[in-house]
Amino acid sequence: MAYNISNIIGRDTEVKKLLRVLETHSIVLSSHRRMGKTYLLKKIKATHPDNIVPLFLIVEGKSSPEEFVYDLYRCLQEEGLITIGKSKRFHNWYEKTIAGQEIKEMKLPSFRPHWKEALRKIIEGLLEEQKGKTIVIMIDEFPIMLYKFIMEYKLVNEAVELIDTLREIRQVYGDRGIRFIFCGSIGINVVLEKLKKSHNYAGEPLNDMSMEILDAMNIGDAKKLVRHLIEVKEISIEPDNDNTIDELCKSVDSLPFYIDLIIKEIDVNQSIISPESIKNEVERLILAAGNQGQFNHYTDRISTYYEKDMGKISRKTLNWLSTKENFVDELEIFNMLAGQQKIEEDVVRGVLKKLFDDLYLDRKINRGKRFYKFKYNLLRKWWMVNFG
Amino acid sequence: MLIFNSKIEKPGYLEKLLVGRKKTVNALEKSVITGAKYYQNIQHLVIGNRGSGKTHLMRVLFNRISTNATVTNKYCIAYMAEQEIGVDSFYALIISILEAVIRWNDDLAEKKEWKSKIGVLKEIRPADREDRAKEYILSYLGEKQLLILADNINGIFEGMKLHGQARFRDFIQQTDKINIIATNRSLFADIQREDKPFHNYFHIIHLDPLTRDETKELIIKLTAIEASPELTAHLNTNKGIGQIRSIHFLSEGNHRLIAMFFEFLKADIKSNLTIPFLKTLDRLKPYYESFIQHLPPQQQKIIHFLALKHQPQLGSAIAKECFLTPGGTSKQMTELRNKGFVDAHRIGRDNKYELSGPMMRYCIQLTDGRNGIIGMFVRFITVLFSDAEIINRYLKLKCQLKEGCDEKHDYKKQAEEVLIYEKAGENQAPIGHLRKHIESIEDEGTKSAMVKIMMKLRNLHPNCPIAEKDCTCSQLLNTNTDDDPVLKIFIIKLVSCSLYEDAYKLVHYINSNIEGRSEENVTTSIFFIKCLFKFNTNPEIIEGYLNKLLLMPTDGLTKKLISVLLESRFKGNEQTVYNLPKDERAILTFICEKGELL
Ligand SMILES: Nc1ncnc2c1ncn2[C@@H]1O[C@H](COP(=O)(O)OP(=O)(O)OP(=O)(O)O)[C@@H](O)[C@H]1O
Ligand SMILES: [Mg+2]
């Protein structure tokens, strides 16, 4: 599938960086939802250098490892990266085992050894056909697929095996130029935590991969995005200068999803982009009732993926921090929490670290002391209105 | 229920009847066209209550884009107008889409070919068919993109379950070929929650209920289609105006309900709306009942409780009466709100809740055998919403408030005069009427001051449009008054007395007056600020003035100004207002509107 990327703007710095990492390592790429991960992968797919063979596969809806493997195979085949003749063995296997079965039945234990073997065969075949090139298999929504295997389809063992098999493949064939990008929003760490806590999993299956995080756009890209959207939405801007654009980008912290949203709102209201309309729309976005959903992912994330106590403390911390515009001393945060409940300093430190890793908070270290504040001012304001 | 779908199906009619939704359709059309031009993805979700005109809107949109070559060269349109039934998997959805696409394909041979292909698809063994269906649809599309227009998408999403949704989104992202414009009655969990595939995927457009003017517009358009001169004339009478207002109130600006009321109204225009109302209720009853039946028992109970209470109820009261925990109540109330059954008004730390649509309340009351009372209520409301009656009530109130006022004061006569004045006034009040209005000002001081200024002005500015009889407010405001503060003040006073609409210009004048702060200026400002409320000005502007004044030295004048501002700020005091039931609030609004004109 050749993607038209005329509407994917900027992110060149990020692409470059990922490509550099790929020279030596596979990557786990994560971010909050709607940050632009999928766009980024598509850009890589469409603009890769010659020595790279990229594959883009999105897997949120897969319901078993068998299906995942089969789709990977089909995708490679469609892209002409693997030819049936050469991977005949796999094809025969598929005909004999999966075809003709209900998807549900594919979960039968007797198929298990087959999919692993098939996965290895596919990779071998692929390397054979694409000798000398680096093959980058980008798997979008990989963590959520695993999460569903575990939570929804009760395929805990299969999930573990898939993770392990992929690791084995990286180790065995890594030298021959196979790389993966596991991309997703829930963060693969959540999945591993789940496996460790509830299923006694003890491996470190990703410690050979480089952990990358996708953040908001840099201001240059954000402005480019605004310019682009103005053009393709045929919408006017007044005054038509850099300040207006700058204002729009800053008011949404250069988060591409919200840039797009604000411009769409202005467009639907048949208005023009102006300092006034920007201010109005941002305000509306922030003041909109909590159930509107445009910021829900930030709260849902905590209730869905954080352990119960951890979630509670995180919420309290964020509620309080949302009322502070500037950096706050870690100690002050501890005092605030300790004033409400009995709590260890270590726990608070852990929560803050987690919120920092999860892109809720920004951190500054000054003379050995840690200071925190909300990473995105837009989110802070919304949070303050709703929970502050 | 599908009034719009029955006899007025023709595109022209639909386009003409598109009251209050033009902006949305235009925006969607533009989005499709620019999408076609620049390869942008289109993902819109239109949210509007039952009967708020979503199907109508989609139909008009489809008519427009399916006849636009820019669009059809780029997109195959799958117009899924009827609620798709039985879509229980991603595979089933693809079949539905294919069927929808070929339904509108004019090429008969191609149509036949694809019909048989769909037949083949249905025969394929389960493990393969989804893949084959995907292949088929891609091959059908070829170089083109797919644009799905889907009504009530939640039905499809619920049917496909999370599993199907995830596969659908995978397909969309993997192929980059699928665009969707969908509608739904309310926001739903499958797009709201962060762990759902379609979280924040759609750009959401909310449909607002029709305003009073739009309701009138719709009724007038419906009348025009019926071509009934008698009805047209009737709508302009005092009674007709009252009826339109009642219909707006009862229907809450809902297209379908307005159309339904209209059907009955036109059959019996002499009626006092009681019969149309009861007939509408009869039609609606099974409809509402079926909705309520599908709610969880706790929510049914809450709705029943609210229906039988006239006033909005505190969350805590609901919890008590329906045997719920506070947490449970707030969860149920949020769900009911999301489904569009209930409105909430924040009061301190709690909320006051009431049923959104008055009609649902009456339907439930009807079940309780209270039809007699309901009928009386509507009669009452129709009379009450007429201009004459509202003014009557206002004057009566005012009279009662005034000390030593004679109960028998002839407020009826006054009311009539006001009506005449209003009729002549509308937005472009000619000066003659303004003059008349000045004469009727009760406060002798203000009156003589204004007359004095007017005389002075005549001498100073013989060319000022004031001299002309038919000068309008906008002409007046456009007069250059930079070098003549007296003229400026006069004009503002004059205009404020009229029904002039442009509040922003007034704000501008007030700004410059407060800054000056001579006694004359401040008194004038007070006057203007009061006028501002006539125009429903944004509370923020008032807040702004307050802050500005608080920085000034506190002398008598400033204090006076502050008190006026404070008074206006608390005018819509929610705590007390929301003790009143919805209908009384509506009446109050009318009375206030009238009152301020006097
Ligand atoms: N580089 C970009 N150029 C233009 N628009 C962008 C870019 N990145 C993100 N966007 C905007 O943000 C939206 C989300 O992007 P994308 O789908 O790539 O995010 P994601 O992180 O993959 O989201 P999800 O968590 O839902 O998978 C896009 O629909 C687009 O409006
Ligand atoms: Mg994505």
Side-chain angles (χ1 to χ4, degrees):
Chain A
M1 181 64 66
Y3 296 111
N4 178 328
I5 57 157
S6 59
N7 290 301
I8 301 183
I9 307 302
R11 294 295 196 191
D12 296 318
T13 327
E14 287 86 350
V15 170
K16 231 184 243 158
K17 174 161 184 227
L18 293 185
L19 288 177
R20 191 155 8 93
V21 175
L22 283 172
E23 284 168 17
T24 50
H25 286 86
S26 285
I27 291 174
V28 174
L29 177 66
S30 42
S31 83
H32 285 284
R33 288 212 60 173
R34 313 307 284 143
M35 194 63 89
K37 300 175 293 294
T38 304
Y39 271 40
L40 181 71
L41 297 188
K42 285 186 176 168
K43 183 147 192 170
I44 294 179
K45 171 94 177 58
T47 60
H48 62 91
D50 285 344
N51 61 337
I52 283 186
V53 179
L55 185 82
F56 174 74
L57 183 65
I58 171 155
V59 296
E60 173 161 12
K62 307 290 167 268
S63 48
S64 67
E66 292 85 356
E67 204 193 351
F68 166 76
V69 172
Y70 175 60
D71 274 20
L72 176 67
Y73 166 70
R74 271 186 68 107
C75 195
L76 286 165
Q77 206 184 321
E78 271 164 28
E79 298 273 329
L81 297 175
I82 194 165
T83 27
I84 292 196
K86 293 204 181 155
S87 54
K88 202 158 192 101
R89 258 201 295 167
F90 172 77
H91 204 77
N92 291 341
W93 166 82
Y94 170 74
E95 279 300 318
K96 253 190 279 156
T97 53
I98 296 182
Q101 306 288 333
E102 286 281 2
I103 302 262
K104 273 186 231 123
E105 292 169 31
M106 289 179 6
K107 289 178 207 156
L108 288 175
S110 58
F111 286 121
R112 230 184 276 157
H114 295 300
W115 70 255
K116 279 189 279 181
E117 188 195 329
L119 183 54
R120 286 187 208 107
K121 289 218 167 72
I122 291 172
I123 299 293
E124 270 173 21
L126 183 63
L127 288 166
E128 194 68 28
E129 286 196 40
Q130 307 294 331
K131 242 181 217 146
K133 301 212 164 165
T134 305
I135 295 153
V136 180
I137 300 182
M138 303 186 273
I139 309 175
D140 200 2
E141 306 293 6
F142 182 69
I144 197 126
M145 174 181 80
L146 294 176
Y147 195 75
K148 281 190 187 162
F149 284 2
I150 300 167
M151 307 296 288
E152 219 168 288
Y153 305 118
K154 309 286 171 239
L155 294 174
V156 178
N157 290 335
E158 285 79 352
V160 169
E161 281 176 343
L162 181 59
I163 300 173
D164 287 345
T165 310
L166 285 168
R167 178 184 169 86
E168 178 200 312
I169 286 175
R170 290 194 303 276
Q171 284 173 343
V172 176
Y173 305 105
D175 290 346
R176 289 168 61 188
I178 184 110
R179 301 274 185 271
F180 289 87
I181 300 182
F182 297 160
C183 176
S185 61
I186 72 164
I188 197 127
N189 287 329
V190 176
V191 176
L192 294 183
E193 254 170 53
K194 196 113 236 156
L195 286 175
K196 281 178 189 162
K197 281 232 160 84
S198 323
H199 305 281
N200 299 322
Y201 181 69
E204 290 288 347
L206 304 173
N207 61 3
D208 61 321
M209 298 179 82
S210 170
M211 298 286 160
E212 302 291 333
I213 282 172
L214 184 66
D215 199 349
M217 286 181 150
N218 64 43
I219 185 79
D221 282 352
K223 284 183 181 173
K224 254 195 249 162
L225 177 59
V226 175
R227 275 274 169 229
H228 174 77
L229 289 173
I230 287 173
E231 191 189 321
V232 299
K233 296 210 180 303
E234 300 185 342
I235 182 170
S236 323
I237 170 167
E238 175 74 52
D240 186 355
N241 61 31
D242 203 50
N243 283 349
T244 317
I245 292 178
D246 200 52
E247 205 171 315
L248 172 51
C249 297
K250 293 218 167 103
S251 64
V252 293
D253 299 290
S254 296
L255 293 163
F257 171 73
Y258 294 103
I259 291 179
D260 188 73
L261 182 65
I262 296 282
I263 294 182
K264 273 187 186 143
E265 286 295 324
I266 292 176
D267 191 31
V268 164
N269 290 326
Q270 301 187 336
S271 175
I272 59 169
I273 299 177
S274 69
E276 202 192 346
S277 66
I278 294 169
K279 196 171 150 257
N280 286 343
E281 287 307 335
V282 172
E283 211 153 89
R284 244 168 37 120
L285 185 65
I286 292 169
L287 294 180
N291 64 9
Q292 301 273 301
Q294 267 109 5
F295 291 96
N296 272 4
H297 43 295
Y298 292 100
T299 49
D300 283 0
R301 222 180 133 77
I302 295 179
S303 44
T304 318
Y305 304 117
Y306 283 37
E307 298 292 324
K308 209 166 161 220
D309 285 342
M310 190 82 158
K312 260 197 186 145
I313 302 168
S314 302
R315 291 288 293 247
K316 269 190 194 153
T317 309
L318 291 171
N319 294 353
W320 189 70
L321 277 178
S322 73
T323 61
K324 315 277 175 212
E325 266 181 61
N326 296 317
F327 278 104
V328 177
D329 192 333
E330 184 178 82
L331 191 67
E332 237 182 284
I333 301 172
F334 168 74
N335 286 339
M336 183 276 299
L337 288 168
Q340 298 186 7
Q341 67 194 100
K342 209 169 154 303
I343 195 166
E344 304 277 315
E345 227 172 304
D346 265 358
V347 176
V348 176
R349 224 170 276 147
V351 166
L352 288 169
K353 169 80 168 52
K354 189 167 171 66
L355 289 173
F356 171 67
D357 288 341
D358 253 3
L359 301 185
Y360 285 91
L361 297 180
D362 205 0
R363 186 172 70 188
K364 174 177 90 173
I365 298 182
N366 199 352
R367 295 207 202 107
K369 283 209 299 195
R370 282 177 291 269
F371 296 80
Y372 290 94
K373 71 167 191 183
F374 261 73
K375 185 167 170 65
Y376 309 117
N377 203 25
L378 181 71
L379 176 64
R380 181 187 71 77
K381 286 187 195 156
W382 178 82
W383 205 287
M384 183 170 69
V385 167
N386 285 282
F387 315 106
Chain B
M1 295 309 302
L2 297 168
I3 283 173
F4 282 127
N5 286 11
S6 51
K7 61 176 183 232
I8 36 185
E9 268 262 321
K10 288 193 206 124
Y13 275 138
L14 286 176
E15 186 79 56
K16 227 191 260 162
L17 275 175
L18 192 68
V19 175
R21 302 285 177 252
K22 250 199 187 91
K23 200 171 123 181
T24 310
V25 176
N26 290 349
L28 290 171
E29 185 189 15
K30 181 182 168 199
S31 172
V32 174
I33 293 172
T34 52
K37 271 170 133 172
Y38 304 102
Y39 289 91
Q40 292 180 85
N41 295 329
I42 303 167
Q43 308 127 352
H44 297 288
L45 175 60
V46 178
I47 302 280
N49 280 332
R50 286 173 282 274
S52 60
K54 298 182 296 290
T55 308
H56 184 171
L57 176 156
M58 291 291 259
R59 186 65 212 248
V60 174
L61 179 67
F62 176 67
N63 285 337
R64 290 195 195 172
I65 59 180
S66 61
T67 50
N68 179 331
T70 316
V71 177
T72 49
N73 286 338
K74 173 83 188 290
Y75 296 108
C76 289
I77 304 174
Y79 177 41
M80 301 163 75
E82 307 305 321
Q83 190 156 357
E84 296 298 319
I85 301 163
V87 173
D88 58 354
S89 65
F90 177 42
Y91 159 75
L93 175 66
I94 301 181
I95 300 267
S96 281
I97 292 173
L98 275 172
E99 281 171 344
V101 185
I102 60 165
R103 196 179 305 149
W104 305 97
N105 190 337
D106 293 331
D107 185 335
L108 286 181
E110 207 175 292
K111 203 167 179 158
K112 197 157 159 237
E113 180 197 335
W114 279 95
K115 266 205 176 128
S116 69
K117 278 197 181 170
I118 293 175
V120 173
L121 258 187
K122 290 180 179 166
E123 305 283 314
I124 291 174
R125 57 185 179 181
D128 268 356
R129 59 191 189 184
E130 185 183 305
D131 283 338
R132 287 290 273 286
K134 286 190 207 165
E135 275 166 23
Y136 273 31
I137 198 153
L138 289 175
S139 84
Y140 185 92
L141 290 174
E143 287 297 302
K144 285 191 183 179
Q145 294 251 326
L146 178 68
L147 174 59
I148 301 173
L149 301 184
D151 230 357
N152 290 329
I153 195 156
N154 190 23
I156 296 174
F157 272 39
E158 260 178 12
M160 286 200 294
K161 311 228 174 52
L162 210 55
H163 182 69
Q165 290 168 31
R167 296 169 93 85
F168 183 30
R169 194 178 118 129
D170 285 359
F171 185 62
I172 293 175
Q173 298 218 347
Q174 190 85 45
T175 59
D176 239 356
K177 269 184 166 291
I178 320 280
N179 300 278
I180 309 175
I181 296 180
T183 72
N184 205 49
R185 293 199 190 105
S186 53
L187 294 168
F188 49 104
D190 288 333
I191 56 169
Q192 285 179 291
R193 297 242 328 254
E194 104 96 51
D195 56 345
K196 307 288 180 185
F198 281 88
H199 169 76
N200 266 355
Y201 179 79
F202 293 106
H203 171 239
I204 290 169
I205 301 175
H206 287 275
L207 295 181
D208 295 327
L210 295 186
T211 63
R212 219 193 307 155
D213 288 342
E214 287 165 343
T215 304
K216 192 169 157 192
E217 191 188 333
L218 180 58
I219 292 180
I220 289 173
K221 283 192 170 156
L222 288 167
T223 314
I225 288 177
E226 299 290 330
S228 151
E230 199 192 356
L231 194 53
T232 312
H234 170 74
L235 291 178
N236 283 321
T237 63
N238 197 12
K239 189 168 162 193
I241 292 170
Q243 284 177 335
I244 293 181
R245 282 188 186 145
S246 312
I247 291 179
H248 177 249
F249 171 75
L250 290 169
S251 66
E252 298 245 295
N254 181 290
H255 283 71
R256 182 177 294 155
L257 286 182
I258 294 170
M260 207 183 281
F261 269 117
F262 175 79
E263 288 287 300
F264 296 123
L265 180 69
K266 98 186 165 204
D268 184 12
I269 59 171
K270 294 277 169 333
S271 89
N272 53 17
L273 212 61
T274 314
I275 295 172
F277 175 72
L278 289 175
K279 281 189 181 160
T280 312
L281 270 191
D282 261 356
R283 282 268 295 273
L284 284 173
K285 232 182 112 214
Y287 180 69
Y288 281 128
E289 274 167 3
S290 76
F291 278 120
I292 296 173
Q293 264 168 20
H294 287 102
L295 293 174
Q298 283 187 333
Q299 295 181 8
Q300 290 187 24
K301 204 158 157 189
I302 294 172
I303 288 202
H304 238 246
F305 171 68
L306 288 177
L308 298 182
K309 291 279 176 198
H310 207 177
Q311 275 94 356
Q313 298 290 312
L314 279 172
S316 50
I318 297 173
K320 197 170 135 217
E321 290 294 326
C322 302
F323 320 122
L324 293 166
T325 60
T329 318
S330 96
K331 184 170 162 268
Q332 302 294 353
M333 293 322 288
T334 312
E335 278 182 30
L336 283 170
R337 266 171 87 178
N338 282 347
K339 290 175 190 160
F341 284 113
V342 166
D343 284 343
H345 314 284
R346 188 146 203 97
I347 304 289
R349 308 209 74 190
D350 201 347
N351 276 315
K352 278 209 164 173
Y353 298 97
E354 65 189 335
L355 293 188
S356 298
M359 293 309 273
M360 183 156 88
R361 170 195 304 282
Y362 301 132
C363 282
I364 296 174
Q365 292 182 348
L366 200 64
T367 325
D368 271 32
R370 300 193 185 183
N371 33 359
I373 296 175
I374 293 168
M376 256 168 60
F377 167 72
V378 182
R379 213 157 350 186
F380 174 70
I381 214 171
T382 326
V383 177
L384 202 62
F385 280 5
S386 73
D387 264 353
E389 200 47 40
I390 286 168
I391 291 168
N392 261 345
R393 287 245 316 210
Y394 168 72
L395 291 170
K396 200 166 170 181
L397 257 174
K398 200 167 151 194
C399 186
Q400 282 165 352
L401 290 177
K402 236 184 201 164
E403 242 184 316
C405 172
D406 179 4
E407 259 294 321
K408 289 195 194 83
H409 181 87
D410 195 5
Y411 53 80
K412 274 225 159 97
K413 191 156 163 274
Q414 241 193 58
E416 268 161 29
E417 275 170 21
V418 171
L419 265 182
I420 295 168
Y421 165 71
E422 251 215 324
K423 277 257 153 60
E426 296 296 5
N427 287 327
Q428 298 274 307
I431 278 303
H433 293 284
L434 292 178
R435 207 174 294 140
K436 200 164 144 204
H437 186 75
I438 293 176
E439 276 154 29
S440 72
I441 291 178
E442 278 178 36
D443 178 5
E444 282 304 322
T446 318
K447 187 169 158 182
S448 67
M450 286 185 77
V451 173
K452 228 159 68 196
I453 301 173
M454 195 158 146
M455 303 294 279
K456 200 164 145 196
L457 190 77
R458 276 263 183 90
N459 296 335
L460 283 172
H461 298 271
N463 295 332
C464 169
I466 192 87
E468 284 156 38
K469 237 184 159 187
D470 295 324
C471 157
T472 62
C473 297
S474 17
Q475 273 173 309
L476 275 179
L477 278 177
N478 286 331
T479 320
N480 181 3
T481 55
D482 286 349
D483 52 348
D484 191 339
V486 182
L487 175 61
K488 179 155 111 189
I489 289 165
F490 178 74
I491 287 179
I492 298 163
K493 281 194 176 176
L494 211 51
V495 171
S496 313
C497 291
S498 79
L499 298 166
Y500 191 68
E501 283 182 324
D502 193 346
Y504 286 95
K505 280 211 175 120
L506 279 178
V507 172
H508 177 72
Y509 280 103
I510 294 171
N511 273 335
S512 44
N513 271 296
I514 288 185
E515 235 92 79
R517 276 188 84 255
S518 72
E519 174 151 3
E520 170 83 312
N521 281 350
V522 176
T523 350
T524 328
S525 296
I526 294 179
F527 190 75
F528 305 150
I529 286 164
K530 283 186 173 165
C531 296
L532 270 182
F533 292 100
K534 264 200 256 187
F535 308 121
N536 286 330
T537 309
N538 196 331
E540 277 168 29
I541 295 179
I542 296 154
E543 210 66 55
Y545 287 140
L546 258 180
N547 293 338
K548 205 175 214 173
L549 284 168
L550 288 174
L551 295 176
M552 291 182 171
T554 41
D555 56 1
L557 282 175
T558 320
K559 269 192 198 146
K560 203 163 157 196
L561 249 180
I562 291 180
S563 78
V564 173
L565 283 168
L566 281 176
E567 195 189 299
S568 12
R569 186 166 68 149
F570 291 115
K571 202 163 124 221
N573 190 324
E574 298 186 349
Q575 311 259 352
T576 44
V577 168
Y578 287 114
N579 286 334
L580 297 175
K582 212 168 198 163
D583 39 15
E584 278 182 31
R585 290 204 312 270
I587 293 167
L588 201 69
T589 322
F590 286 132
I591 293 180
C592 289
E593 279 174 17
K594 287 295 162 194
E596 295 196 344
L597 294 177
L598 299 176

